[in-house]
Amino acid sequence: MAVLFGGIDVGSLTAQAVVLDNGDIAGSASIGVKPNPLDSARTVLMAVLEQTGLEPGDLHFTVSTGYGREQVQKEGLSQANISEITAHGKGAQWLLPSVRTVIDIGGQDAKVIRVNEKGDLEDFVMNDKCAAGTGRFLEVMARTLGVGLEELGPLSFQARNPLELSTRCSIYCETEVLHYLQRGADKADIAASVNRTMAERVMALVRRVGAQKEITMTGGVAKNVAVRKELERLLGIRLVEYRVDSQIVGALGAALVAREMGGGR
Amino acid sequence: MMDLKKLASELPNRYVEEARERGTKIIGYACLATPREVFDAGGFFPYRIRGMSVTRTELADAWLSRFNCGFCRSCLQLALEGAYDFFDGLVETNGCDHLRGMFENWQYAHPRDFFHYIRVPHLTNQDSMDWFVEELELLKEALEKHFEVSITEEDLLAAMSLQGDIADKLRRVYESRWGDEVRVSGGEILALMTLEGSAPAEDFSRLLDEVLAEYPSRPPLKYRARLMLGGSATDEIELVSELESVGGAVVADSFCFGGRIFRGEEPLDGPPLRRLAHRYLYNLMCPRMFDDYARRKAFIDDLIERSRPDGVVLFHNKFCDLHGVENVKLRMDLEKQGVPVLTLEKEYGAAADIGRLKTRVQAFLERLGK
């Protein structure tokens, strides 16, 4: 019988859980977070267990990560916790063994993580206390433009004359976008400027940590095709892709660490 | 051990109450360039101003800008709220411009009876020494004149001797963490360091006797990695304790409420004020000093060599330009030496910031393989 390991990642906007058997991902689930991180952890864990037909007791060892990681462990839903920085590095490098740099952009933070050939953390940088360069920035801009978050990326590709945003601050950007809308600017041109601004902000972090090839993206913002494209242009290389949802990489990393701690292969 | 953190959490503490009952005058100061021996010699209680991790600074913000260091704004906020009304006087230095703004707005908006400004040189040479000796003479004269006391050379020598004993005891507790077994946490050490500035010398000396008698019988702390901290002025005891909760034992620091308190020996000859001036000026490990990076770096190298941290965490408060710049240079130099470094910019006292900072410190421990 396979030995199973769990990873739970409770972030600021979404929560994920991954079940790993000794060789591969047995199941994964993702939900929007609830007000209490413990409720998020329980719900997402139950979702993945239901999907895989397992009981909580079937998991040999579970590791939590993300903002709720300590509480989740204290409640006994996990046996250890790790930072989301290690988790994303570990998960991405397992998916793509050639990866040495991971750009993880979540709901409320952005990180650039450098890992070695084992997926162990070599260096990292995280954004300061500011929404600029995080998923929240894109959410605010999408709402201001009156489009869905998932539309913001594809909309950029329709831009004919991308505009310039003169600031990186989310609040001032929102004012500037409103100003462009009042002047009758095309939404696609504004969306292109929003995505470019986002990528430029993240590039400042990439420069601080010093990117090494191969480079990939994780987190919710990795789903924004325009931000990816802009980052590829700024980096001068293609970001490598993988086969799973970019939002489960943190939970996957936690499950991989659970496997290491729990004596799996 | 008595609850050092609790004792440090009170501004008008039991020592203040006792001093008020005795009629002892209490003088507020903030900067490590202020030689407390001069106050001790005159029978005053020198009390080091703290920000107490206060984050609501609406009163202070009317006088200082949001672009001033949060520590200075918090100190001013407490002053304007009346939390420091037990002070009979204030002694300002030009430690940094933010600190000067704090003192001068304080004295303007909520004045104390006695106010004196020590102009501390930014250089260490013969001319600046002569200047600083004169400044200390002016301080002594101002205290004598305003409070009608006499501060003799004998008083100064006795105060210097007592502070020497205190430094020896404090160093024994501080350095107790340099072996493999750590029995006193970084949070407790920071509490002790803040108490150094909020208890009269004799009382603090007795407190240290209790600590020295108690700590060796404690069980060693469990930790994943040894850390050294450095950076801006901070008295955030809870912040250090929270960061230690992820598994890092703080074994040394270069904070000005911390390792910078220790000074080398003063020259053994010459008038007391000249000896004091030399001791303070030549041991001021603060980036406000010009052309002195090499000495500060040597001080940190020495701490690293003796305390053997696995990594160094450098903080700076937002808008603290002195440490913001210094930390970049330190990080680059230490990393060249193979010392892992984490730099963190933080809001002073912001509890909401703790989760963000803990994530980084936990990741740093993981990066260290701990």
Side-chain angles (χ1 to χ4, degrees):
Chain A
M1 185 180 164
V3 184
L4 301 165
F5 300 94
I8 305 171
D9 178 8
V10 182
S12 55
L13 294 178
T14 61
Q16 290 79 27
V18 165
V19 171
L20 195 71
D21 68 20
N22 265 336
D24 208 352
I25 298 170
S28 68
S30 184
I31 60 163
V33 287
K34 297 173 182 302
N36 182 334
L38 282 176
D39 290 340
S40 303
R42 280 192 199 99
T43 307
V44 77
L45 184 62
M46 288 316 292
V48 77
L49 291 175
E50 199 172 305
Q51 183 195 104
T52 47
L54 297 166
E55 297 289 329
D58 295 335
L59 296 178
H60 178 63
F61 201 94
T62 301
V63 165
S64 51
T65 188
Y67 290 116
R69 64 188 182 277
E70 287 177 334
Q71 272 179 285
V72 172
Q73 187 188 345
K74 273 182 197 153
E75 279 299 304
L77 294 170
S78 69
Q79 286 75 54
N81 77 81
I82 58 169
S83 72
E84 52 268 41
I85 297 166
T86 291
H88 278 269
K90 206 80 179 167
Q93 199 275 337
W94 184 80
L95 288 166
L96 299 162
S98 60
V99 156
R100 294 293 174 271
T101 307
V102 182
I103 300 170
D104 167 48
I105 313 178
Q108 287 184 10
D109 61 34
K111 317 166 193 86
V112 180
I113 303 157
R114 239 182 38 227
V115 291
N116 64 16
E117 69 286 351
K118 293 178 191 163
D120 294 335
L121 198 55
E122 287 212 318
D123 204 357
F124 67 93
V125 65
M126 205 166 163
N127 66 312
D128 292 320
K129 205 174 78 176
C130 172
T134 72
R136 179 64 78 187
F137 171 77
L138 294 183
E139 273 193 357
V140 171
M141 296 306 135
R143 193 187 63 213
T144 310
L145 285 171
V147 300
L149 186 58
E150 63 292 344
E151 295 172 69
L152 198 61
L155 186 62
S156 276
F157 296 128
Q158 297 167 27
R160 280 172 296 181
N161 297 301
L163 296 161
E164 284 293 327
L165 288 174
S166 60
T167 172
R168 299 291 175 266
C169 168
S170 303
I171 293 170
Y172 293 135
C173 270
E174 188 179 6
T175 311
E176 205 168 351
V177 166
L178 280 171
H179 174 68
Y180 278 134
L181 286 172
Q182 282 160 3
R183 281 175 46 191
D186 187 81
K187 281 187 181 179
D189 291 343
I190 302 174
S193 68
V194 165
N195 291 322
R196 179 187 295 168
T197 298
M198 173 83 185
E200 284 170 353
R201 175 80 187 185
V202 173
M203 271 307 290
L205 297 180
V206 175
R207 287 189 195 98
R208 268 166 65 186
V209 88
Q212 289 175 5
K213 288 197 274 191
E214 299 286 339
I215 306 174
T216 194
M217 264 186 98
T218 62
V221 176
K223 294 177 182 176
N224 181 314
V225 285
V227 172
R228 289 181 71 97
K229 205 88 187 154
E230 280 296 329
L231 273 171
E232 286 178 343
R233 183 181 66 78
L234 293 165
L235 287 163
I237 58 164
R238 276 190 67 78
L239 295 168
V240 285
E241 298 190 29
Y242 43 84
R243 60 192 162 89
V244 302
D245 181 345
S246 61
Q247 282 185 286
I248 70 154
V249 178
L252 170 63
L256 288 163
V257 173
R259 190 174 67 169
E260 286 170 17
M261 289 179 164
R265 280 187 288 123
Chain B
M1 197 186 296
M2 76 290 299
D3 193 342
L4 294 172
K5 290 192 211 169
K6 185 170 182 302
L7 195 54
S9 70
E10 296 159 348
L11 268 188
N13 54 27
R14 65 178 191 229
Y15 304 116
V16 169
E17 283 167 27
E18 287 163 12
R20 301 307 286 171
E21 281 168 21
R22 290 194 303 268
T24 302
K25 301 294 182 191
I26 305 175
I27 310 290
Y29 73 102
C31 174
L32 268 189
T34 317
R36 61 170 293 155
E37 289 87 339
V38 179
F39 305 98
D40 292 344
F44 299 96
F45 173 4
Y47 191 107
R48 194 164 177 204
I49 298 157
R50 287 181 281 150
M52 307 297 285
S53 302
V54 163
T55 51
R56 36 167 186 75
T57 55
E58 62 280 359
L59 294 177
D61 294 345
W63 298 93
L64 291 174
S65 124
R66 292 292 296 178
F67 297 103
N68 282 114
C69 149
F71 173 73
C72 296
R73 283 189 287 122
S74 298
C75 292
L76 182 60
Q77 175 74 20
L78 288 167
L80 298 177
E81 285 175 359
Y84 284 116
D85 279 0
F86 57 87
F87 285 176
D88 297 289
L90 284 174
V91 172
E92 174 190 15
T93 65
N94 49 340
C96 72
D97 288 348
H98 302 262
L99 201 65
R100 286 199 62 189
M102 183 272 285
F103 270 113
E104 287 165 19
N105 282 292
W106 181 342
Q107 186 59 11
Y108 183 79
H110 197 72
R112 302 289 86 200
D113 286 346
F114 174 79
F115 186 83
H116 185 81
Y117 176 25
I118 309 175
R119 283 150 289 225
V120 183
H122 287 277
L123 292 169
T124 46
N125 56 37
Q126 193 53 51
D127 291 339
S128 64
M129 253 299 287
D130 291 344
W131 172 287
F132 198 43
V133 172
E134 203 175 311
E135 285 292 326
L136 298 196
E137 282 166 355
L138 289 171
L139 168 69
K140 180 174 101 62
E141 285 168 21
L143 288 167
E144 287 177 324
K145 189 175 170 198
H146 184 89
F147 293 101
E148 297 177 343
V149 294
S150 167
I151 301 173
T152 65
E153 288 209 348
E154 288 70 32
D155 296 331
L156 282 166
L157 289 170
M160 287 159 68
S161 169
L162 178 55
Q163 284 299 335
D165 291 344
I166 287 173
D168 288 343
K169 291 178 191 174
L170 193 54
R171 204 184 283 275
R172 278 163 59 198
V173 184
Y174 188 89
E175 295 181 2
S176 73
R177 301 169 295 171
W178 293 0
D180 288 339
E181 291 188 340
V182 178
R183 293 171 202 276
V184 189
S185 71
E188 286 175 305
I189 291 287
L190 184 54
L192 199 57
M193 291 298 187
T194 61
L195 285 164
E196 188 262 354
S198 49
E202 296 82 0
D203 291 305
F204 187 62
S205 183
R206 279 193 288 275
L207 181 74
L208 283 171
D209 289 335
E210 288 179 50
V211 173
L212 282 166
E214 191 271 348
Y215 89 81
S217 59
R218 287 176 164 199
L221 300 173
K222 288 181 182 155
Y223 62 85
R224 294 162 62 181
R226 302 164 66 84
L227 293 177
M228 176 177 155
L229 306 182
S232 295
T234 189
D235 56 354
E236 294 157 289
I237 298 162
E238 275 316 304
L239 171 72
V240 172
S241 298
E242 283 281 349
L243 298 184
E244 287 186 305
S245 74
V246 298
V250 174
V251 292
D253 69 86
S254 60
F255 287 144
C256 80
F257 282 93
R260 281 189 222 163
I261 283 179
F262 300 113
R263 302 174 185 91
E265 292 300 311
E266 71 261 20
L268 292 173
D269 53 357
L273 283 184
R274 177 161 283 275
R275 287 168 59 187
L276 268 182
H278 187 283
R279 188 171 185 214
Y280 274 77
L281 192 63
Y282 278 84
N283 288 285
L284 205 49
M285 299 302 171
C286 174
R288 51 94 59 197
M289 299 299 282
F290 298 166
D291 273 347
D292 219 14
Y293 175 77
R295 193 202 309 265
R296 294 194 291 274
K297 175 67 172 37
F299 164 69
I300 286 169
D301 284 343
D302 180 58
L303 276 175
I304 290 173
E305 191 184 326
R306 295 198 287 153
S307 66
R308 302 174 297 112
D310 297 300
V312 174
V313 182
L314 298 173
F315 295 93
H316 70 273
N317 289 333
K318 241 178 169 42
F319 311 119
C320 176
D321 300 326
L322 288 175
H323 284 92
V325 172
E326 181 95 341
N327 283 356
V328 173
K329 174 93 177 118
L330 273 176
R331 175 178 59 79
M332 290 163 75
D333 288 346
L334 290 172
E335 282 180 346
K336 261 187 227 156
Q337 290 167 220
V339 178
V341 179
L342 174 68
T343 51
L344 296 173
E345 184 185 52
K346 67 175 184 61
E347 296 277 2
Y348 173 75
D353 235 13
I354 281 179
R356 194 177 69 85
L357 298 176
K358 276 172 78 174
T359 297
R360 285 159 171 77
V361 172
Q362 184 172 356
F364 185 57
L365 300 186
E366 289 160 358
R367 178 190 151 192
L368 296 173
K370 302 288 179 178

